[in-house]
Each structure stands twice: as structure tokens, then as C-alpha cells.
């Protein structure tokens, strides 16, 4: 319905009364042309000389068109309103159409010289804009808060603390991490972890291929300069160094872990992520550890027979008959000795409470903690009866009293094997007894799963993990396995286990020759060399 205006009232009041009288639909019809026209403001080529005036005229037209539609007035609007609206929209986007509709003079075409001048000005403006953006970025980078990773040595300490808090305070990998960190800092330097380059780490790996195996163990007081001099000397004669597997699995992987941990802690990019570090071809290939021959085992048993300390008597026999690692065997407790399915077994636990203190057992993998069967030979020599009587305590008490029981056992076994004529350089060591046990089980055609359970190897798939226990028949099979006919077990019979367990080894290390001390006076980890302080590596 048409709405009439009262000319006697002020204009604002007339509009207010008119809007108040309108329905919702009328008010929408009033504003729709203007709202739709706004969509055409951004696209167009209106000249600067007419742009503002054309826009004012067009939106006045939209307002009138909307009023006529809302009030039902205006015969022309009713007949040609859509055509008028399209013409007004086109005027917002077409300079030529706007000039024709509103009577503006035609736009002058630019001359070729004017176009070239415009192109030059436009190119200069673009270059200035790019330079401004570059300068702004530089200023932002200079004043932005920078992130930096911790020093490699600090990242090492942080990783050790992380392992201690999330895994074990005496995790067996901690000593290796410390040693690797010292060697890396000696050869490459101590920098923020995100500042190392692939080239530097590659050079470190190359140097390791010249470092003599056990160099740090043989030179406990070696300094940074000593290690660098050692590498230089080895290079001159092209001497063999660490093996490929040692370089990659021990030294490179742990350096990557330390750098990755430090970068994660600082929330910075890992410089080695996605980078390939090649292990030098000149590095030695992995040496395979061969089983001992029965004559060699016999020589070891002969040394056991002559020994007067319980560990020297029993550790080789336990290793041969169970295939278990030296570290776990060293920590056997009488409480672990249990009868299952009528068969005596050792059932390790990861921790024990001894004299009110928690003691952690050094195990390499979780499968190492699975029970293992004691062969009937241990019944025949009287060990089972003795363990039943003891019930509690360490099997090897004198080793348990050492600062590092596993290390003490390793040294004792090293001396015993050398006395038996075996050569550690040829990998004829205590660990070879584990290889020998596995080889014997192959000869006896023991089922693969049963072999893995007994020696504490990882199951190959999830199905076998669900069957990680001995059945009564399997346990008895392992208890009664044939023993090598070439071996004499007579040296293990008739033993006084109480007397052997009570006996302590004599003496200690052989005293060093007199001379200047090379220890670590003053601050830990440093020694004075030529009037200055220098880091000790080990």
C-alpha cells in the first residue's frame, strides 16, 4: 500500500513515521537495492575524475528505487525498476557506461609516451614496495625473540635426567651416553645443539673410524688433546679404528638422540633431521662371535676347578647351561630359586629390596627377566639343595658387595678366560658361552621358541609373546638336555658352597709404578696439563 508523506512535518520526522508504519518486508525492500549495489564497488574502472560523483548519484538512485518499491509509488519503477537497477549497477563498474548515463565527457586515451611513463613509475613503485618489505622483515628478525638450543654438554645432562626420571636411575645406557658425549665434544666442540651441521657430524663419524677400540678404557686419563692426537696418529698410518656397528649404533645414534632431545626441549629445529650421515667404508665390519669349541670350554672348566671363589667356580657353568647374560647371572638371589612344574627355575625380578634399599637388576631387555630352567646338573652337583637351605640372600655375596657387581664379575671372568688360554681379541670371552649354548641347542634340534625363552631373547611376533611360558613337558625337556660328552663336570661335585661363598678374593689391583700422578686433582673431570686445565675424557 502506498505511504503518503506529510509535507507539514520536518523531513526527519516524516522518515521516522514512514519507517514505523512499514512492515518488515517493506523495510527489506527499502534497503535491498543499496545492499546489492555494494557488491559492485570493488570491481570497476571508474576514472578518478568521476568516481566519487558517480557513486553518490548511483546510491541516490538505489535509495529512490528502494523507496518506490517499499511504498508502492512511482509508475516508472513499477514498469522498469529492474532495468533501472541493472543500469545503476553497471555504472559502478563501467567508466564508459557511467559517463553515458550521467552525461560526463568521454575519457581521454593515454598516449604511448604516457603509458610508458606510467609503466616506469609503476615498476619503480613495485621495487620500492619490495625493498620496504625486505627491510621490514630484517627489522622484525633483529628484534624478534630468538630461540637457541642448549649446549651439547647441557643437553646431555638433560637427557640423562630425563632417562633417570622416566626409566631407571641406574639405566645401563647412561654411562655410554656420557662417554659418547665426551668424545663428541672433544672431536667437534661444545655448541648449541641446533648449531651443528651435517658436515661436522660426518667429520666426527669419519674420525671415529680411526679411534682404536677401547682407547678410552686403556687410557683412563686421556684428555681432549690426547684423543685428537690419537686420531691424527692413526690417520697417518691408516690404522683400523672402531667397527661400523659401533660407530653407528653406539656413537652416532646417541649423538642424534642428544641433539634431538636438546632441540625438542628448546623448541628449535633439529639440524640433523632428514640428513644422512654415512658410515665410512674403511671402518671395520662387524665381527661375528663364534661359539667356543668343547676343548676351549674344557680349559675354562679346568680353571673353575682350581678356583677358590664361588663366582669363579659357578658363573661359567651357569652361562653354558642356561645361555643367560653375565650381568643377570651376577645378581641371582636365592629367592629367585623356585620349583615350577616340578622343575627348578630361576625367576628374576627387575628390583629387589635389600637391607631396606631398592636394588635394580641390570637386564638388557624385558625378555631377560623371564624364568629360565636349571639343568639337572645343578641338582647333581648339590647347588639346588644348597639354595633351598639358604632361601634368601645373594648367590654371589662377594660380588654383590662391589660398587659395580657386573663389572667386577666381567673383570674376574676376563682374567679366568685368559688363564685358560682364550683370547679376548678373538672374541673368546665369557659372552661366548651364551653363543655356545645356543649352538648346542641347534645341534640338539631344540624348538626355536623354546630356545628363545631359555636364553631370554625377544619373541619374533605377538603370537609367541602370548606363549612366553614353559609347559611342564618343555621345562622337563630343558632340565634333562644331553650334556656334551667331551666335558668333565667332575670339578663341580662335592663342593663346600658355604665355604666358597664366605671366601673373599685376595688383594686388589697391582700397585702402579712410582711417578707423577695423572689423576684428576681439583675439580672433577679436569686435570692440570702444562700449566692449564684440560678436560679428562673418561
Amino acid at each position: 500500500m502506498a505511504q503518503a508523506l506529510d509535507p507539514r512535518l520536518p523531513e526527519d520526522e516524516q522518515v521516522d513515521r514512514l519507517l514505523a508504519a512499514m512492515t518488515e518486508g517493506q523495510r527489506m525492500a527499502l534497503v535491498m537495492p543499496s545492499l546489492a549495489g555494494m557488491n559492485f564497488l570493488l570491481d570497476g574502472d571508474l576514472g578518478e575524475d568521476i568516481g566519487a560523483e558517480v557513486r553518490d548519484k548511483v546510491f541516490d538512485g538505489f535509495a529512490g528505487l528502494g523507496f518506490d518499491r517499499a511504498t508502492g509509488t512511482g509508475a516508472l519503477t513499477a514498469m522498469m525498476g529492474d532495468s533501472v537497477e541493472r543500469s545503476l549497477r553497471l555504472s559502478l563498474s563501467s567508466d564508459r557506461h557511467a559517463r553515458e548515463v550521467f552525461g560526463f565527457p568521454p575519457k581521454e586515451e593515454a598516449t604511448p609516451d604516457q603509458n610508458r611513463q606510467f609503466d616506469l613509475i609503476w615498476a619503480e613503485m613495485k621495487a620500492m614496495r619490495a625493498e620496504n618489505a625486505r627491510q621490514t622483515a630484517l627489522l622484525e628478525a633483529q628484534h624478534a625473540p630468538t630461540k637457541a638450543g642448549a649446549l651439547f654438554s647441557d643437553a646431555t645432562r638433560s637427557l640423562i635426567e630425563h632417562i633417570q626420571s622416566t626409566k631407571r636411575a641406574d639405566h645401563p645406557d647412561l654411562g655410554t651416553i656420557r662417554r659418547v658425549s665426551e668424545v663428541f665434544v672433544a672431536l667437534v666442540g661444545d655448541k648449541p645443539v641446533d648449531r651443528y651441521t651435517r658436515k661436522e657430524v660426518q667429520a666426527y663419524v669419519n674420525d671415529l673410524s680411526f679411534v682404536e677400540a677401547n682407547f678410552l678404557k686403556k687410557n683412563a686419563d686421556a684428555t681432549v688433546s690426547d684423543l685428537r692426537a690419537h686420531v691424527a696418529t692413526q690417520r697417518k698410518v691408516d690404522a683400523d679404528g672402531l667397527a661400523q656397528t659401533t660407530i653407528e649404533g653406539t656413537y652416532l645414534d646417541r649423538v642424534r638422540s642428544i641433539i634431538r632431545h636438546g632441540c625438542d626441549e628448546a623448541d628449535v629445529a633439529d639440524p640433523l633431521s632428514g640428513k644422512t650421515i654415512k658410515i665410512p667404508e674403511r671402518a671395520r665390519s662387524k665381527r661375528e662371535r663364534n661359539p667356543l669349541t668343547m676343548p676351549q670350554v674344557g680349559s675354562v672348566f679346568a680353571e673353575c676347578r682350581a678356583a677358590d671363589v664361588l663366582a669363579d667356580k659357578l658363573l661359567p657353568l651357569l652361562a653354558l647351561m642356561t645361555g643367560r647374560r653375565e650381568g643377570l647371572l651376577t645378581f641371582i638371589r636365592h629367592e629367585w630359586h623356585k620349583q615350577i612344574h616340578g622343575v627348578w627355575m630361576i625367576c628374576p625380578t627387575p628390583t629387589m629390596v635389600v637391607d631396606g634399599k631398592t636394588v635394580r637388576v641390570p637386564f638388557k631387555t624385558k625378555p631377560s627377566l623371564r624364568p629360565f630352567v636349571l639343568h639337572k646338573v645343578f641338582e647333581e652337583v648339590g647347588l639346588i639343595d644348597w639354595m633351598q637351605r639358604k632361601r634368601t640372600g645373594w648367590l654371589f655375596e662377594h660380588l654383590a658387595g662391589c660398587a659395580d657387581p657386573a663389572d667386577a664379575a666381567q673383570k674376574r671372568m676376563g682374567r679366568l678366560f685368559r688363564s685358560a688360554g682364550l683370547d679376548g681379541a678373538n672374541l673368546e670371552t665369557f659372552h661366548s658361552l651364551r653363543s655356545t649354548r645356543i649352538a648346542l641347542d641347534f645341534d640338539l634340534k631344540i624348538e626355536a621358541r623354546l630356545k628363545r625363552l631359555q636364553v631370554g631373547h625377544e619373541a619374533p611376533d605377538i603370537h609367541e609373546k602370548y606363549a612366553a611360558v614353559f609347559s611342564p613337558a618343555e621345562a622337563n625337556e630343558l632340565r634333562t638336555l644331553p650334556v656334551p660328552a667331551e666335558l668333565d663336570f667332575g670339578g663341580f661335585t662335592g663342593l663346600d658352597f658355604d665355604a666358597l661363598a664366605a671366601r673373599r678374593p685376595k688383594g686388589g689391583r697391582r700397585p702402579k709404578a712410582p711417578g707423577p700422578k695423572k689423576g684428576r686433582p681439583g675439580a672433577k673431570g679436569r686435570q692440570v696439563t702444562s700449566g692449564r686445565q684440560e678436560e679428562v675424557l673418561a
Side-chain angles (χ1 to χ4, degrees):
M1 178 180 291
Q3 302 289 330
L5 295 177
D6 186 346
R8 295 170 300 176
L9 298 175
E11 184 177 345
D12 290 347
E13 189 174 343
Q14 292 183 54
V15 173
D16 291 342
R17 287 191 176 189
L18 182 62
L19 290 174
M22 285 184 178
T23 64
E24 186 70 25
Q26 287 176 315
R27 284 194 288 270
M28 287 296 295
L30 179 68
V31 299
M32 279 305 297
S34 297
L35 292 176
M38 290 182 181
N39 293 326
F40 295 85
L41 285 173
L42 298 179
D43 299 323
D45 63 346
L46 290 179
E48 293 183 2
D49 58 326
I50 66 169
E53 190 173 352
V54 166
R55 283 188 283 273
D56 288 343
K57 290 178 179 294
V58 167
F59 277 94
D60 284 344
F62 284 147
L65 185 63
F67 180 82
D68 288 349
R69 286 176 176 172
T71 60
T73 60
L76 184 61
T77 298
M79 295 175 58
M80 302 179 62
D82 291 343
S83 297
V84 172
E85 187 173 8
R86 284 194 295 271
S87 179
L88 290 173
R89 291 176 182 174
L90 184 60
S91 296
L92 289 174
S93 58
S94 171
D95 180 270
R96 181 176 178 180
H97 182 79
R99 291 178 187 276
E100 291 176 354
V101 169
F102 296 108
F104 291 108
K107 186 177 182 180
E108 293 184 6
E109 296 292 334
T111 65
D113 288 340
Q114 289 175 324
N115 285 333
R116 282 193 294 272
Q117 186 177 6
F118 174 79
D119 290 342
L120 291 173
I121 294 173
W122 179 244
E124 185 177 351
M125 290 178 64
K126 288 174 64 178
M128 291 175 63
R129 184 181 298 176
E131 178 61 19
N132 287 338
R134 190 182 71 84
Q135 293 293 339
T136 300
L138 287 174
L139 288 172
E140 290 177 348
Q142 291 172 1
H143 294 89
T146 57
K147 293 182 178 179
L151 290 175
F152 187 87
S153 55
D154 293 333
T156 301
R157 284 188 283 273
S158 175
L159 177 59
I160 288 173
E161 291 171 359
H162 175 72
I163 292 173
Q164 289 175 325
S165 63
T166 59
K167 295 182 179 180
R168 292 164 50 189
D170 59 345
H171 194 279
D173 204 29
L174 299 183
T176 304
I177 291 174
R178 292 188 184 96
R179 183 176 75 253
V180 169
S181 177
E182 291 169 350
V183 172
F184 183 77
V185 170
L187 294 177
V188 184
D190 196 10
K191 301 196 302 184
V193 288
D194 57 325
R195 298 293 188 265
Y196 290 105
T197 65
R198 186 206 64 80
K199 185 176 181 180
E200 287 175 318
V201 179
Q202 183 65 64
Y204 157 74
V205 167
N206 294 345
D207 284 344
L208 290 176
S209 68
F210 292 97
V211 175
E212 181 185 355
N214 297 322
F215 171 78
L216 294 180
K217 288 185 178 180
K218 295 177 181 177
N219 301 273
D221 298 322
T223 64
V224 171
S225 298
D226 293 334
L227 180 58
R228 291 174 179 168
H230 171 72
V231 171
T233 301
Q234 293 277 92
R235 277 184 180 277
K236 289 179 181 179
V237 296
D238 197 28
D240 282 340
L242 298 175
Q244 293 177 4
T245 51
T246 303
I247 293 174
E248 183 170 15
T250 299
Y251 286 87
L252 177 58
D253 284 356
R254 284 172 176 82
V255 164
R256 282 185 179 274
S257 296
I258 294 169
I259 290 177
R260 183 167 54 249
H261 173 80
C263 290
D264 287 346
E265 290 288 295
D267 193 23
V268 296
D270 179 355
L272 299 184
S273 178
K275 303 293 178 62
T276 300
I277 309 297
K278 296 182 179 179
I279 306 302
E281 293 183 1
R282 72 171 307 281
R284 292 186 292 107
S285 307
K286 180 181 179 181
R287 297 172 61 191
E288 296 296 332
R289 187 184 299 274
N290 295 318
L292 300 179
T293 64
M294 290 304 104
Q296 287 176 319
V297 177
S299 299
V300 172
F301 279 9
E303 292 298 318
C304 294
R305 184 182 298 110
D308 59 359
V309 176
L310 186 61
D312 296 354
K313 285 278 189 186
L314 288 184
L315 274 175
L317 180 62
L318 281 166
L320 178 70
M321 302 309 296
T322 66
R324 288 304 180 114
R325 295 183 177 90
E326 185 175 28
L328 185 68
L329 296 176
T330 302
F331 276 75
I332 289 179
R333 297 276 298 180
H334 291 291
E335 296 93 320
W336 293 0
H337 179 233
K338 298 178 182 179
Q339 194 172 38
I340 302 174
H341 304 315
V343 175
W344 289 104
M345 299 187 192
I346 297 295
C347 302
T349 58
T351 60
M352 300 164 290
V353 178
V354 181
D355 298 330
K357 296 181 179 179
T358 299
V359 178
R360 298 185 180 275
V361 175
F363 60 93
K364 185 174 182 180
T365 60
K366 289 184 178 179
S368 300
L369 294 176
R370 291 176 182 151
F372 55 94
V373 172
L374 289 177
H375 193 274
K376 68 176 183 178
V377 71
F378 295 107
E379 301 171 28
E380 296 168 356
V381 302
L383 178 63
I384 301 295
D385 289 340
W386 181 64
M387 293 185 75
Q388 283 183 272
R389 294 197 306 272
K390 294 288 290 185
R391 294 187 178 276
T392 62
W394 301 102
L395 178 59
F396 303 113
E397 288 187 29
H398 78 277
L399 290 179
C402 298
D404 187 342
D407 182 64
Q410 184 181 43
K411 291 174 179 176
R412 294 196 67 80
M413 291 299 101
R415 290 192 290 270
L416 188 144
F417 272 59
R418 287 193 294 273
S419 297
L422 276 67
D423 186 358
N426 293 330
L427 301 183
E428 296 168 354
T429 63
F430 184 88
H431 195 75
S432 300
L433 291 172
R434 179 173 165 87
S435 304
T436 306
R437 175 70 264 164
I438 294 172
L440 290 172
D441 289 345
F442 270 105
D443 291 342
L444 294 171
K445 295 182 172 50
I446 304 301
E447 192 257 328
R449 172 185 151 277
L450 198 53
K451 289 199 293 275
R452 283 191 285 268
L453 284 177
Q454 178 69 349
V455 301
H457 274 158
E458 184 74 49
D461 54 55
I462 189 65
H463 299 287
E464 190 170 306
K465 288 181 180 179
Y466 281 105
V469 292
F470 297 113
S471 69
E474 290 171 338
N476 191 62
E477 179 183 358
L478 292 173
R479 172 185 171 273
T480 58
L481 285 178
V483 297
E486 306 96 315
L487 295 181
D488 178 12
F489 292 86
F492 301 101
T493 59
L495 299 178
D496 185 343
F497 290 103
D498 288 314
L500 288 169
R503 190 166 292 132
R504 297 293 181 266
K506 296 179 181 179
R509 290 183 178 273
R510 184 177 301 171
K512 293 183 179 180
K517 294 183 178 180
K518 290 186 178 181
R520 305 177 188 177
K524 182 180 179 181
R526 297 182 182 273
Q527 73 174 28
V528 178
T529 305
S530 302
R532 62 185 176 86
Q533 286 191 328
E534 186 172 10
E535 289 287 345
V536 176
L537 291 175

